[in-house]
Amino acid sequence: MGGKVFFGVSMSLDGFIAPDSPEELMGKQWMELQRWVFPLRFFRENLKLGKGGEEGRDNDIARETYERTGVSVMGKRMFDAGERMWPEEAPFHTPVFVVTHEKRDPWERPGGTTFYFVNDGIEVALEQAREAAGDRDVRIAGGGATILEYLNAGLIDEFSIALSPVLFGSGIRLFEGVDASRVALDQIHAEHSPKVTHLTYSVRQR
């Protein structure tokens, strides 16, 4: 029996998880959305930014999410943005399966991250990810379109949202195009911190 398939994202109060353009990923709104993450001790340790950082429940949640993840799956848009911005030692430290039409050999990075490029769709990528993850969980890392594909296909077991007190107005909505006739949710956890509200849901077919 393998682990769960899940995703975890930061989301603005008006439902956006990213700006429209990858070039805006380090812009003011994006930085505000992710403001709860950057000071965390775990975040600093994982990206080798030096010692110190904030501890507490936000830090625990970030670490728990990382520790449960045996493999990540992402779309080409997220990979392209990350390839430009991630440090040489990418922050995953696990296999990562990229759903893409591009044919490319595996790309091994220092620190245990290897990117594998899957050309046969989301289900094949998930099959390969499950095999690589063993008993640990598979995280659908993003972006929004890839998360939505997995959600609408009934392949997500649970997800978490860090709801930030930020308004975007436009951008990539997490649930834009969700098949609400098929997807039903049960809330399994809610917890707030001074910076965000953490919401966790299990997913079932309606």
Side-chain angles (χ1 to χ4, degrees):
M1 184 68 180
K4 294 180 179 178
V5 180
F6 80 102
F7 68 85
V9 295
S10 297
M11 187 175 78
S12 69
L13 282 175
D14 51 349
F16 296 96
I17 61 171
D20 280 317
S21 170
E23 284 70 33
E24 299 176 72
L25 282 178
M26 298 302 288
K28 180 180 178 181
Q29 285 182 309
W30 170 254
M31 297 296 285
E32 289 178 350
L33 181 67
Q34 304 293 348
R35 183 167 48 195
W36 72 278
V37 174
F38 296 134
L40 299 181
R41 183 184 185 93
F42 170 74
F43 180 84
R44 293 181 57 79
E45 289 174 352
N46 194 34
L47 270 74
K48 300 189 182 304
L49 299 177
K51 297 182 179 180
E54 296 178 3
E55 299 193 28
R57 189 61 187 135
D58 286 340
N59 189 65
D60 292 343
I61 288 171
R63 187 180 299 277
E64 289 163 5
T65 301
Y66 171 82
E67 289 176 348
R68 69 182 287 192
T69 302
V71 169
S72 292
V73 177
M74 68 180 60
K76 182 66 161 51
R77 184 179 188 270
M78 180 175 178
F79 173 79
D80 285 346
E83 188 176 17
R84 294 192 302 269
M85 295 190 302
W86 292 320
E88 183 181 11
E89 186 171 315
F92 302 96
H93 310 293
T94 68
V96 178
F97 291 86
V98 181
V99 182
T100 176
H101 295 297
E102 178 186 6
K103 295 187 182 298
R104 180 170 169 178
D105 292 334
W107 187 41
E108 185 174 350
R109 310 303 295 146
T113 301
T114 300
F115 294 92
Y116 298 92
F117 301 89
V118 182
N119 308 129
D120 302 312
I122 62 169
E123 294 192 7
V124 171
L126 182 56
E127 287 173 9
Q128 295 181 15
R130 282 187 184 278
E131 184 175 350
D135 292 333
R136 296 175 71 192
D137 294 341
V138 174
R139 180 176 185 175
I140 309 303
T146 301
I147 288 173
L148 190 67
E149 278 193 84
Y150 277 101
L151 188 60
N152 282 340
L155 298 173
I156 299 291
D157 298 311
E158 75 176 43
F159 65 86
S160 296
I161 292 171
L163 192 62
S164 295
V166 178
L167 297 173
F168 262 43
S170 65
I172 296 174
R173 285 189 183 274
L174 177 58
F175 296 114
E176 187 74 43
V178 69
D179 187 352
S181 67
R182 296 184 57 199
V183 178
L185 309 176
D186 294 307
Q187 183 167 303
I188 57 178
H189 191 68
E191 185 174 359
H192 71 86
S193 77
K195 294 182 179 178
V196 292
T197 300
H198 299 280
L199 304 169
T200 303
Y201 300 89
S202 61
V203 183
R204 55 182 169 82
Q205 290 198 345
R206 187 180 294 278

